[in-house]
Amino acid sequence: MEQTARKGYGGRGWLLIAWIATAFLAYMVIGNYPLNILADLYGGQATLSTIYTVASIIGIVIQLALGNVIGKMKSIKKFGTIMGLLSILALLGIMLIPGYIPGTPQMIWRVVYGVGTVLSVMYGTFSLSILVGQWFPTRKGSVMGIATLAFPIGNGVIGAFAAAAFKGGSPHIASAFLPFLIILIVGWLIGVAFIPDYPEEKGGYRDNNPNMTPEMAKAMMEEEIENKKTTVWKLNHTLTTRDFWFLTVPAGFLLMFSVGTMTQTNAILGQMGEGLNKFGGFAGVMAMIMVFGLIGSFVLGMLDQKLGTKKSMIIASVIMLIAGLLGMISSPERPGLLVAALICLALFMGASSNYTVSLAAQYWRREDFSTVFAAVNPIANIINAL
């Protein structure tokens, strides 16, 4: 049989990347934007931070509960589709419910915000991440490196979102969210129309690697589906494996520092006062974060692909340490140190979401991936939720 080199990700593979990128954007827009920019309208940052944390923990509990059944689920694509539709409905509620009015409207809005945060976690960072592992088991690093470009882009446009939300000094919540709602709907429709659970279902190949006949690809898919039902990597076995923790805890720390900081950028940068003016103010710094985030997400994703997940995570952790040191010694008199810290943070921000998928796909068999990921992702996010 003639061996054909892998080229690109295939048409449907690119559509999958686009779909998960819009799901990651949903995760940011639903959970991050209200907390980071709109908190004063809905009861203050302490209140919204509490809701965000509780919602994250609920999402973690749900993922752990699904750990022993996810491998037997007939279609993770359908599960992701449902989570996506519900996330879109939750965003509509966040947009349209006047939660800035104290009393019943504000309480309803807070409930919708909490539920939406849970749904967006289950949508992008859980169900569609499993799809990536099923489509690209050995190329997950570069694929996630591209998909997670959504995180720096989402952070880069948060300044424009804030300007639109408070245009003319009064809140314009619905119009500020509208462009993101449209993007989320388009991404969801792409997934519904074009993406199956496995590429073989539409005549494609795992990793877009056509070094086998369609019959061989289909047989491999059917064998993998059957093996998932009898995998030994149930939740209790996974959680009692030492190496699972050595892999997952560092991934959790990377998520903790990237997500934890990026949900508070408005408050953190606000402490620098006018010192940020020479860097373009809040919008200018966020634009820099976007540029370096795009670079870091792609480069660390490629390093994940070329050098392996372990080495890529070590590099990201070193950058995280530098970011922490620079941020710790920054002050209003030395705002440049904080900007440098955030640039370092941007470099590993998007990539931090790569690693839960990458480590589960690299260190476990294809048929074990979904059940192991159902433990890796929530445990890493327990650390993140702190």
Side-chain angles (χ1 to χ4, degrees):
M1 181 173 58
E2 182 181 354
Q3 296 293 302
T4 305
R6 294 178 293 177
K7 295 181 180 178
Y9 302 106
R12 290 184 191 274
W14 278 109
L15 290 176
L16 172 61
I17 292 170
W19 185 18
I20 193 170
T22 62
F24 285 154
L25 186 62
Y27 171 71
M28 286 195 63
V29 169
I30 291 173
N32 184 346
Y33 281 20
L35 172 60
N36 209 350
I37 299 297
L38 306 175
D40 289 343
L41 293 176
Y42 301 117
Q45 197 151 74
T47 298
L48 262 61
S49 292
T50 300
I51 297 172
Y52 184 91
T53 302
V54 171
S56 298
I57 292 171
I58 291 172
I60 289 162
V61 171
I62 294 173
Q63 290 174 60
L64 289 172
L66 289 173
N68 286 334
V69 300
I70 197 74
K72 299 177 182 179
M73 194 175 288
K74 289 185 177 180
S75 175
I76 192 66
K77 180 262 178 81
K78 289 182 181 178
F79 179 71
T81 299
I82 294 170
M83 292 299 101
L85 178 59
L86 294 176
S87 295
I88 290 170
L89 294 176
L91 180 56
L92 278 169
I94 291 171
M95 289 170 58
L96 301 176
I97 296 171
Y100 43 83
I101 299 176
T104 301
Q106 190 170 85
M107 294 305 298
I108 295 174
W109 185 93
R110 290 176 182 176
V111 170
V112 173
Y113 171 66
V115 171
T117 300
V118 174
L119 292 170
S120 64
V121 167
M122 299 302 299
Y123 180 34
T125 66
F126 184 68
S127 57
L128 297 196
S129 293
I130 293 176
L131 270 186
V132 169
Q134 293 182 174
W135 275 64
F136 297 100
T138 67
R139 304 181 72 190
K140 71 288 174 194
S142 59
V143 169
M144 291 296 286
I146 297 170
T148 52
L149 295 177
F151 289 114
I153 291 173
N155 277 307
V157 299
I158 197 170
F161 171 85
F166 295 103
K167 184 174 166 184
S170 57
H172 299 273
I173 307 303
S175 60
F177 276 113
L178 183 59
F180 301 100
L181 176 67
I182 294 171
I183 292 171
L184 303 189
I185 292 174
V186 170
W188 182 80
L189 291 173
I190 287 173
V192 170
F194 299 109
I195 306 301
D197 278 277
Y198 297 91
E200 293 88 348
E201 294 177 31
K202 295 292 184 180
Y205 301 90
R206 210 71 56 91
D207 289 319
N208 194 38
N209 185 8
N211 290 333
M212 61 183 73
T213 65
E215 291 76 18
M216 291 170 64
K218 184 179 179 182
M220 184 182 294
M221 177 194 72
E222 292 174 348
E223 181 182 6
E224 181 179 325
I225 292 172
E226 193 62 31
N227 287 342
K228 280 184 177 183
K229 299 175 183 177
T230 56
T231 177
V232 299
W233 288 98
K234 302 296 185 183
L235 183 62
N236 58 339
H237 181 47
T238 304
L239 294 181
T240 55
T241 301
R242 181 199 62 181
D243 289 358
F244 165 83
W245 292 98
F246 284 163
L247 287 162
T248 305
V249 170
F253 279 128
L254 286 163
L255 281 171
M256 177 196 215
F257 287 108
S258 60
V259 177
T261 304
M262 294 315 296
T263 55
Q264 305 288 337
T265 48
N266 192 31
I268 293 169
L269 290 171
Q271 298 176 33
M272 295 295 109
E274 296 182 358
L276 289 179
N277 290 346
K278 57 185 175 184
F279 301 101
F282 177 75
V285 175
M286 296 307 295
M288 280 193 281
I289 290 173
M290 177 180 70
V291 172
F292 284 95
L294 292 171
I295 295 170
S297 183
F298 181 76
V299 171
L300 285 172
M302 292 305 298
L303 290 176
D304 186 340
Q305 184 71 36
K306 301 296 184 182
L307 303 180
T309 303
K310 175 183 176 178
K311 290 181 180 178
S312 181
M313 285 180 67
I314 290 173
I315 293 169
S317 297
V318 170
I319 298 172
M320 176 175 65
L321 175 62
I322 295 170
L325 292 172
L326 289 171
M328 186 172 64
I329 62 176
S330 67
S331 67
E333 293 75 32
R334 296 179 292 183
L337 292 175
L338 178 62
V339 173
L342 290 173
I343 287 173
C344 288
L345 183 138
L347 290 173
F348 72 85
M349 173 182 60
S352 65
S353 298
N354 298 3
Y355 295 127
T356 52
V357 176
S358 294
L359 66 89
Q362 180 164 334
Y363 292 99
W364 279 268
R365 300 178 306 168
R366 294 180 183 182
E367 54 262 41
D368 301 322
F369 167 76
S370 58
T371 53
V372 173
F373 180 78
V376 170
N377 199 55
I379 294 300
N381 277 283
I382 286 175
I383 300 171
N384 175 29
L386 296 175

